[in-house]
């Protein structure tokens, strides 16, 4: 038989260290753009190429696309490899295969035995994805796993990382900041440091397990089981929450599925004029046909509300004061605490909710806000969408044509 030559991606020295480790379970906490996905793709690909059964698991299918693109690119070098796009599965001449799976529903991951599992951005998954679903699939074949992620507080990924530091044999852990990638320009990191909240920068680029002690929202990760849905689903009804961006902020339109109580989509943009913002709301409303659109009435809110009244949407104005904001956020925090709401495992969304904090004023009163230098636009839009569930349609202004 002719020898098949496969060109594999080159690894940096730090990546080679993780790649060469004999540990059965490898736990890698690394900063953004370090190259952890490239490393895990290579390990998963080799496991399947040698005849093993492998899964690539990500918080959602949307996030799994990065892994899928890398795996299909490598498999294109194998003449007899078969790619099943609908199932996101690749089968190799050796009999091995690899498939992309979403962690949004842990119960759906109960399956056959596996030889290898790559858990991508696993800090943003529920712990039961590993303990209840994936760990048992490796038992009969003594399969291996790699856990890759940026940290997300001191959750179960942190506990696995601690285990790897203590064990160092069966389990082994590594931490690498983004700067360990020599291809990443130093000025990029410095710019990020200047423009991001310190705690977020430490987590995203230094790969530190930062604990947000004053966090408002609890059990956010438990609620991160909703699938991203950029198009409406048959038989569903929706409501919107709209938070207008001030200078330097984002405008966010959050879409909530009334039936499942899930945030299924959001549109987030900045540096867009008023006419274009109205057009974005209108276009999304034409797709989802929301029963109510709750609009924040901040400094520019009144003008935007007037412009929206000339479009075909049901509108409800929300006048933001210290008192009304406290009630709005308290209601949403309770929804997370009680498990009433679901959100997608989206990095930007989860980051805002995790960092959102309570502060005590000199007067003794409390206030809610994003940390200095951070954003709360997604939080506010989701809170307004959740508030829409308590509004009767007859209280809204405007009618559909």
């Amino acid at each position: 038989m002719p020898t098949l030559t496969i060109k594999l991606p080159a690894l940096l020295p730090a990546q080679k260290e993780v790649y060469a480790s004999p540990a059965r379970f490898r736990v890698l906490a690394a900063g953004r753009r370090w190259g952890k996905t490239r490393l895990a793709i290579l390990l998963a690909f080799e496991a399947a190429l040698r005849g093993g059964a492998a899964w690539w698991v990500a918080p959602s299918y949307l996030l799994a696309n990065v892994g899928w693109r890398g795996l299909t690119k490598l498999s294109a070098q194998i003449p007899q490899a078969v790619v099943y796009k609908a199932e996101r599965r690749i089968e190799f001449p050796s009999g091995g295969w690899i498939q992309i799976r979403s962690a949004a529903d842990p119960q759906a991951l109960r399956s056959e035995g596996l030889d290898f599992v790559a858990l991508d951005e696993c800090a943003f998954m529920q712990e039961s994805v590993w303990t209840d679903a994936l760990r048992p699939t490796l038992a009969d074949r003594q399969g291996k796993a790699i856990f890759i992620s940026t940290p997300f507080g001191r959750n179960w990924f942190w506990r696995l990382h601690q285990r790897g530091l203590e064990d160092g044999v069966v389990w082994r852990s590594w931490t690498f900041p983004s700067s360990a990638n020599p291809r990443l320009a130093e000025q990029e990191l410095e710019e990020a440091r200047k423009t991001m909240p310190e705690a977020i920068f430490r987590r995203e680029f230094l790969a530190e397990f930062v604990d947000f002690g004053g966090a408002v929202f609890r059990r956010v990760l438990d609620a991160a089981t909703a699938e991203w849905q950029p198009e409406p689903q048959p038989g569903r009804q929706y409501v919107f929450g709209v938070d207008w961006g001030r200078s330097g902020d984002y405008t966010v339109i959050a879409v909530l599925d009334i039936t499942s109580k899930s945030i299924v989509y959001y549109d987030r943009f900045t540096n867009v004029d008023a006419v274009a913002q109205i057009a974005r709301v209108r276009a999304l409303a034409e797709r989802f046909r929301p029963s109510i659109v709750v609009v924040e009435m901040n400094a520019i809110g009144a003008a935007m509300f007037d412009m929206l009244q000339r479009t075909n949407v049901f509108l409800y104005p929300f006048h933001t004061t210290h008192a009304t904001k406290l009630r709005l956020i308290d209601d949403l925090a309770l929804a997370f605490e009680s498990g009433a709401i679901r959100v997608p495992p989206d990095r930007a969304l989860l980051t805002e909710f995790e960092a959102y904090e309570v502060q005590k004023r000199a007067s003794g009163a409390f206030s809610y806000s994003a940390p200095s230098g951070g954003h709360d636009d997604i939080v506010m839009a989701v809170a307004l969408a959740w508030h829409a569930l308590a509004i009767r349609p007859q209280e809204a202004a405007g009618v559909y044509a």
Side-chain angles (χ1 to χ4, degrees):
M1 293 180 63
T3 301
L4 179 63
T5 302
I6 303 173
K7 185 178 180 180
L8 299 175
L11 296 180
L12 300 170
Q15 294 171 321
K16 290 179 180 179
E17 179 184 339
V18 182
Y19 173 83
S21 172
R24 182 182 178 188
F25 301 114
R26 286 170 269 195
V27 186
L28 173 60
R32 301 287 289 274
R33 312 309 303 160
W34 178 83
K36 52 188 177 295
T37 303
R38 173 188 290 235
L39 169 65
I41 286 173
L42 180 57
L43 289 169
F45 174 77
E46 289 186 347
L49 192 63
R50 293 193 178 102
W55 272 359
W56 180 277
V57 184
S60 70
Y61 280 115
L62 182 67
L63 292 175
N65 283 337
V66 177
W68 176 242
R69 286 194 296 268
L71 290 166
T72 52
K73 184 176 181 180
L74 285 175
S75 66
Q77 301 179 67
I78 314 297
Q80 294 178 308
V82 181
V83 178
Y84 297 93
K85 293 183 179 180
E87 293 84 5
R88 300 189 189 188
R89 178 184 171 105
I90 305 171
E91 297 182 356
F92 297 96
S94 62
W97 55 267
I98 187 166
Q99 188 169 17
I100 302 296
R101 299 299 300 265
S102 167
D105 181 8
Q107 296 303 315
L109 297 175
R110 294 175 174 270
S111 186
E112 56 200 295
L114 298 171
D115 296 287
F116 188 85
V117 175
L119 292 89
D120 184 19
E121 293 294 3
C122 58
F124 298 85
M125 301 177 190
Q126 299 178 68
E127 184 174 9
S128 60
V129 170
W130 168 245
T131 57
D132 297 4
L134 296 179
R135 179 60 182 89
T137 67
L138 301 174
D140 56 340
R141 303 188 185 189
Q142 295 186 340
K144 297 182 177 182
I146 184 167
F147 307 79
I148 62 172
S149 190
T150 49
F152 189 66
R154 297 194 173 186
N155 63 0
W156 72 280
F157 177 62
W158 174 77
R159 293 195 295 273
L160 288 188
H161 193 270
Q162 293 297 113
R163 181 175 181 178
L165 294 176
E166 296 168 0
D167 184 327
V169 181
V170 177
W171 288 81
R172 187 172 177 188
S173 298
W174 295 262
T175 303
F176 294 104
S178 300
S179 58
N181 180 358
R183 302 188 183 114
L184 192 60
E186 185 177 343
Q187 58 266 32
E188 281 294 315
L189 293 175
E190 188 58 31
E191 178 63 23
R193 186 191 301 273
K194 292 177 180 178
T195 57
M196 296 175 66
E198 180 186 359
I200 302 299
F201 178 83
R202 288 169 55 197
R203 188 186 73 187
E204 296 295 312
F205 288 97
L206 302 183
E208 294 183 10
F209 289 90
V210 180
D211 190 13
F212 292 95
V216 174
F217 297 100
R218 309 291 180 183
R219 301 188 62 193
V220 175
L221 196 57
D222 291 341
T225 59
E227 283 288 349
W228 192 257
Q229 296 175 9
E231 297 297 333
Q233 302 300 302
R236 297 289 190 171
Q237 289 184 302
Y238 303 91
V239 292
F240 286 7
V242 181
D243 179 69
W244 304 112
R246 303 165 182 83
S247 176
D249 287 333
Y250 292 87
T251 290
V252 177
I253 311 162
V255 180
L256 188 144
D257 182 326
I258 295 176
T259 304
S260 64
K261 305 296 190 299
S262 302
I263 297 296
V264 295
Y265 185 75
Y266 71 80
D267 191 12
R268 185 177 187 235
F269 47 90
T270 188
N271 297 324
V272 176
D273 63 33
V275 174
Q277 291 189 55
I278 295 299
R280 296 279 282 262
V281 177
R282 180 188 299 159
L284 205 59
E286 288 176 352
R287 276 159 54 191
F288 284 90
R289 308 290 282 185
S291 56
I292 293 176
V293 176
V294 180
V295 181
E296 185 188 19
M297 302 291 281
N298 57 19
I300 65 170
M304 303 297 277
F305 186 87
D306 289 342
M307 293 175 68
L308 270 178
Q309 280 193 303
R310 297 192 289 272
T311 65
N312 298 325
V313 293
F314 288 98
L315 298 176
Y316 184 87
F318 186 88
H319 297 274
T320 306
T321 66
H322 177 69
T324 61
K325 184 177 181 179
L326 286 179
R327 289 196 296 270
L328 185 77
I329 298 302
D330 283 344
D331 287 345
L332 184 59
L334 179 60
F336 277 104
E337 190 70 28
S338 64
I341 190 173
R342 295 198 306 149
V343 295
D346 173 79
R347 174 184 290 277
L349 181 148
L350 295 177
T351 294
E352 276 200 15
F353 274 97
E354 183 195 39
Y356 201 73
E357 59 188 14
V358 58
Q359 296 180 338
K360 190 173 183 179
R361 297 179 173 181
S363 63
F366 290 94
S367 64
Y368 296 136
S369 66
S372 177
H375 296 280
D376 65 354
D377 317 283
I378 300 175
V379 170
M380 289 302 298
V382 170
L384 293 169
W386 185 254
H387 182 67
L389 298 180
I391 299 170
R392 295 175 298 175
Q394 56 267 35
E395 295 176 326
V399 294
Y400 279 113

